[in-house]
Amino acid sequence: MKELGQKLRDTRERLGITLEEVEDATRIRTYHIAALERGDIEALPSPVQVRGFLGNYADYLGLDSGAILLEYAEKLQSSGVKILTSHV
């Protein structure tokens, strides 16, 4: 998860966006954003909420949220955490 967090932080910093600006735009608390960027899963709420945070944050940064969410799901599966997925 640290690599994913680093990708988010690098993109945000490259765009010159502060954590407070992200919070204002996405309504994700700065402490959750900082935890995402550190890859600190333990500091975050449930995997379902993290999925929502990641999707919103990736969209805000202009990243491919589908690819970000897939990477997150793969990391969760490899760690043995079960996640909910939706089928279209």
Side-chain angles (χ1 to χ4, degrees):
M1 185 70 186
K2 289 184 190 258
E3 301 85 19
L4 182 56
Q6 186 68 45
K7 184 184 306 183
L8 295 169
R9 181 176 38 238
D10 288 348
T11 302
R12 178 182 58 79
E13 289 176 348
R14 182 176 43 80
L15 294 171
I17 301 168
T18 66
L19 291 175
E20 291 76 18
E21 289 171 318
V22 176
E23 180 178 11
D24 288 344
T26 64
R27 300 293 182 224
I28 303 168
R29 299 284 186 201
T30 55
Y31 54 87
H32 287 139
I33 298 163
L36 284 173
E37 290 184 352
R38 287 191 313 271
D40 186 2
I41 296 282
E42 300 300 319
L44 295 165
S46 74
V48 173
Q49 288 174 298
V50 173
R51 185 175 161 79
F53 292 164
L54 279 173
N56 289 337
Y57 191 20
D59 285 341
Y60 175 73
L61 294 174
L63 298 171
D64 181 352
S65 60
I68 296 288
L69 291 172
L70 180 60
E71 186 175 341
Y72 172 64
E74 289 170 350
K75 290 193 182 308
L76 281 183
Q77 281 185 328
S78 69
S79 70
V81 175
K82 294 193 179 225
I83 57 170
L84 299 174
T85 58
S86 62
H87 298 288
V88 179

